[in-house]
Amino acid sequence: MNPTSIKSKYGIDAESVISLRSNVAIIETHAAGKAIFKKARKSSSNNQINNHRFKNEMRIYRALQNASFKYLNTPKLIDAGDSHMVIQFVEKQPDSHVDVGEFVRAYLELQSLDVEPDLWFDFKNQIVRGFGYKGTIIPIFTLSKIIGISKALKVVSLFLKLTVQAPKLKHRYWLHGDLTKHNVYHNNDGQLFFIDFENLSYTRKWPLAEVIQRCIWLKDGGYGLRIDLKMLKKYFAEACPAVKHDLQKINIKTQFRFSLLMQCIQNIAIAKSKVKRESYQLFLDDILNNEKFDNWYNININPLI
């Protein structure tokens, strides 16, 4: 991508272009200054999922533009067409530390985002981005090469069992899908921003999934887990009455088991570190075994709740 091609194809007067990926670039514009330019990939069988993610992000940004938040800040959608969008570039504050309270208050607003329903698009979103994809497709086609097909099928079986058991909640809860330090940070004015919404999808069963996953992580150096439930407790404390009513219907232990199963699937599938991958494989063994998980939960979680 270069300024001339962006101007001729999309009518955007870009002074300079720094390509990040084949379809994403940082551009400098006369009107809006620094911005993120994204374009849809050319239609092909290999790019259908990426194109869906593009359309999903466009849909979410439009919903965000129409919403009003007290705590949540998101980049503005500057320009959009059928095959491109220009998004405000948000400079990250150096050494940005996100407080648990401010994160939870903003995250609760994101979860309650009002997105216009689209039955076909929402169904497709669950298939290519949601838990259905992560709990069935990834184990069968990716995890099976690492942990073996037998254990991969046990993962799918547990995923389906937990999904059937969990009650369907009244409200939709939007999950970000990629809550890393690169996507949640303060800008130079100290405002907390959430960015990058191409993986956003909703659930009516697992509202605590991402919060629980941010409460449990590997110890420095690898083996063993660190647990801090401060964020989960804050979530319960800050939730609005409608959310609290939904939360009364859920089984916390099942929420933990499902959330940690998803965490193991993701980390085993993408971990580059052998130690990290092996650590999550050991933890996965405990999650798959009813007795082992009960013991782990009763020792590590029950006393902290």
Side-chain angles (χ1 to χ4, degrees):
M1 286 187 282
N2 58 66
T4 302
S5 65
I6 289 177
K7 185 174 182 178
S8 62
K9 290 181 180 179
Y10 306 101
I12 299 169
D13 193 9
E15 295 177 323
S16 63
V17 176
I18 302 174
S19 292
L20 301 179
R21 299 193 296 273
S22 61
N23 67 319
V24 182
I26 297 175
I27 64 174
E28 193 79 34
T29 67
H30 296 291
K34 190 179 287 188
I36 299 292
F37 173 82
K38 291 188 175 185
K39 65 176 182 177
R41 298 176 187 269
K42 293 181 179 179
S43 180
S44 72
S45 58
N46 293 331
N47 288 327
Q48 290 306 306
I49 290 178
N50 286 323
N51 282 334
H52 177 82
R53 291 166 67 181
F54 174 87
K55 292 176 182 178
N56 187 51
E57 188 165 25
M58 177 86 77
R59 178 191 186 207
I60 297 303
Y61 268 115
R62 284 174 170 158
L64 289 167
Q65 296 293 99
N66 295 325
S68 177
F69 303 110
K70 184 176 181 181
Y71 302 106
L72 176 65
N73 295 287
T74 61
K76 292 180 174 61
L77 183 64
I78 299 169
D79 185 72
D82 291 337
S83 60
H84 80 280
M85 56 183 158
V86 179
I87 307 158
Q88 174 192 5
F89 180 86
V90 180
E91 198 80 47
K92 183 178 180 180
Q93 185 184 75
D95 302 319
S96 174
H97 172 72
V98 179
D99 175 76
V100 168
E102 65 175 342
F103 171 87
V104 167
R105 287 187 286 271
Y107 182 70
L108 281 164
E109 291 186 331
L110 179 65
Q111 280 202 313
S112 64
L113 181 65
D114 185 15
V115 181
E116 186 176 351
D118 182 325
L119 291 178
W120 169 243
F121 194 92
D122 288 335
F123 172 75
K124 190 175 179 182
N125 214 16
Q126 296 299 317
I127 297 300
V128 303
R129 305 310 312 158
F131 287 132
Y133 171 79
K134 297 172 184 176
T136 58
I137 304 301
I138 291 179
I140 291 172
F141 291 99
T142 304
L143 253 60
S144 60
K145 300 174 184 177
I146 303 170
I147 63 176
I149 188 63
S150 177
K151 189 177 289 186
L153 291 175
K154 289 180 181 179
V155 169
V156 175
S157 176
L158 179 58
F159 165 80
L160 295 174
K161 176 185 174 182
L162 295 175
T163 300
V164 170
Q165 289 177 346
K168 185 177 180 180
L169 304 178
K170 180 179 179 181
H171 299 96
R172 296 190 300 177
Y173 294 84
W174 290 91
L175 304 177
H176 184 277
D178 193 16
L179 288 175
T180 69
K181 62 183 179 181
H182 304 294
N183 293 331
V184 183
Y185 57 81
H186 294 104
N187 68 356
N188 288 329
D189 294 325
Q191 296 173 307
L192 182 64
F193 271 79
F194 282 57
I195 69 169
D196 195 0
F197 301 107
E198 65 182 15
N199 293 314
L200 216 74
S201 63
Y202 76 83
T203 178
R204 275 200 162 102
K205 295 198 171 193
W206 310 109
L208 302 181
E210 292 184 319
V211 174
I212 289 173
Q213 289 169 2
R214 289 178 71 89
C215 292
I216 300 175
W217 62 98
L218 286 184
K219 291 180 178 179
D220 294 339
Y223 300 106
L225 298 169
R226 295 180 62 187
I227 301 171
D228 185 346
L229 300 186
K230 186 187 302 181
M231 184 174 291
L232 181 63
K233 293 177 180 179
K234 194 69 175 175
Y235 183 96
F236 277 98
E238 295 284 350
C240 69
V243 172
K244 286 182 178 179
H245 185 265
D246 262 352
L247 295 177
Q248 291 175 1
K249 303 174 186 177
I250 66 175
N251 181 295
I252 298 296
K253 184 176 178 181
T254 302
Q255 291 281 321
F256 265 89
R257 194 174 188 183
F258 181 88
S259 304
L260 298 175
L261 177 66
M262 292 297 103
Q263 191 169 4
C264 286
I265 291 172
Q266 179 178 347
N267 281 283
I268 294 171
I270 67 173
K272 296 180 180 179
S273 163
K274 181 181 178 181
V275 171
K276 184 176 182 180
R277 186 170 60 250
E278 289 178 347
S279 297
Y280 278 106
Q281 286 181 242
L282 290 172
F283 191 35
L284 178 62
D285 290 338
D286 289 344
I287 294 171
L288 293 176
N289 184 288
N290 292 335
E291 184 177 349
K292 286 183 178 181
F293 181 77
D294 287 346
N295 290 336
W296 178 87
Y297 183 86
N298 292 331
I299 293 171
N300 294 284
I301 305 300
N302 253 345
L304 301 178
I305 294 180

